[in-house]
Amino acid sequence: MPTPVYDDAHLLDLIQDRRSVRVYQRQPVAPAQIERLLEAARWAPSPHNAQPWRFVVIVNGATPHPQAVALADAMAARWREELARDGQDEPIINHRLARSRQRLLESPVLIIPCLDPAAIDRYPDPQRQSAEMTMAIQSIGSAIQNMLLMARAMGLDSGWMCAPLFCPDVVCTVLSLDPQLQPQALITIGYAIERPVPRARHDLAELVVYYI
C-alpha cells in the first residue's frame, strides 16, 4: 500500500494559526466535535504504547455547569492562599482570581487531561521510574497538542491552562476522581470573541544547537 502524502503547507498554516484564547462566545460546541477532539487526543504517540491519558469533560450551557462552578471556587480558594503567601496585594489577588474564574465558567467546554500512573511500566530503580513518568507526561503533552490542532481544524479555538498542576488534590476531590489520577492541565474549548495577535517566536537560528 502506498504511503499517503498530506499537505504539509496546510498543516504548518494550521499550526501557526493556533492561538491561546481566554474569552469565548456563548455559542455551544457540538457533542460530535468534542468526541472528535478526544479521538484526536487518543491517537497521540506514547512510549511503550502506554496511552496514560484520561480525560475529564465538563460542558457549560447557558449557565455554568455546577461542577465547573465548584471547581472554579475550590481552585480559586487554593490560589488565593498561595498568592497571599507570595505577598501579593489583595486587589491584585482579586483581579487575577476573577479572570481565572471567568475562564472556567464562560468557556463552553473544559477538558482536563489526567495522567494515570497505573498505565505506565514499573522499574525497581528510581532513575528509570522517573524517566518512565517523564515519558508519560510528554505523552499527555502530545495528546493535548493533538486536541488543540484538531480544534483549530474544526474552526474552534482553545486555551491551555496549567492551574491543575498546582492543586491536583483539589481537582480530584471536587470532581470525585480516582485520587491516583494526576491532572495535568485544563483545556478550554469554544469560539473566540476575538482571536489574539500572535506572539513573536524565536528565530530558528537561536533554537537549533546542533545540526550536521
Side-chain angles (χ1 to χ4, degrees):
M1 179 181 296
T3 302
V5 178
Y6 298 99
D7 185 351
D8 60 308
H10 175 71
L11 177 57
L12 183 58
D13 288 342
L14 180 68
I15 291 170
Q16 293 174 337
D17 191 50
R18 185 204 59 79
R19 300 284 182 273
S20 294
V21 170
R22 289 172 171 78
V23 184
Y24 297 94
Q25 303 174 37
R26 291 292 187 179
Q27 182 178 350
V29 176
Q33 291 177 302
I34 298 173
E35 184 172 347
R36 196 158 178 80
L37 294 175
L38 298 173
E39 182 69 12
R42 80 181 183 98
W43 280 97
S46 65
H48 310 159
N49 195 31
Q51 303 177 50
W53 39 69
R54 304 292 182 266
F55 303 101
V56 177
V57 181
I58 301 174
V59 179
N60 289 319
T63 58
H65 193 286
Q67 288 289 68
V69 175
L71 183 61
D73 289 345
M75 292 175 66
R78 174 66 63 83
W79 197 20
R80 178 179 292 280
E81 295 173 1
E82 294 172 348
L83 291 174
R85 284 199 302 269
D86 293 341
Q88 294 277 349
D89 294 332
E90 188 69 15
I92 295 177
I93 292 176
N94 291 336
H95 175 70
R96 296 182 70 180
L97 292 180
R99 290 183 61 188
S100 179
R101 192 171 187 276
Q102 178 188 34
R103 292 178 69 182
L104 269 63
L105 300 185
E106 296 185 2
S107 298
V109 180
L110 308 176
I111 300 177
I112 304 172
C114 299
L115 189 156
D116 184 1
I120 68 176
D121 290 350
R122 296 292 167 186
Y123 294 98
D125 57 288
Q127 182 177 357
R128 284 189 295 171
Q129 195 60 54
S130 175
E132 187 73 19
M133 181 60 71
T134 299
M135 290 190 296
I137 293 170
Q138 291 173 345
S139 298
I140 300 292
S142 295
I144 292 172
Q145 179 74 337
N146 277 13
M147 277 197 291
L148 301 183
L149 294 179
M150 178 57 75
R152 192 66 209 125
M154 293 191 294
L156 292 163
D157 293 290
S158 59
W160 185 335
M161 300 176 67
C162 299
L165 284 172
F166 296 90
C167 55
D169 56 324
V170 170
V171 177
C172 287
T173 298
V174 170
L175 300 180
S176 301
L177 303 179
D178 186 330
Q180 79 168 348
L181 293 181
Q182 300 178 12
Q184 298 293 304
L186 193 156
I187 309 302
T188 60
I189 301 291
Y191 296 91
I193 290 178
E194 184 177 5
R195 303 197 70 233
V197 175
R199 295 185 177 184
R201 299 287 172 166
H202 293 298
D203 189 86
L204 276 179
E206 303 175 58
L207 304 176
V208 179
V209 296
Y210 192 81
Y211 194 155
I212 294 181

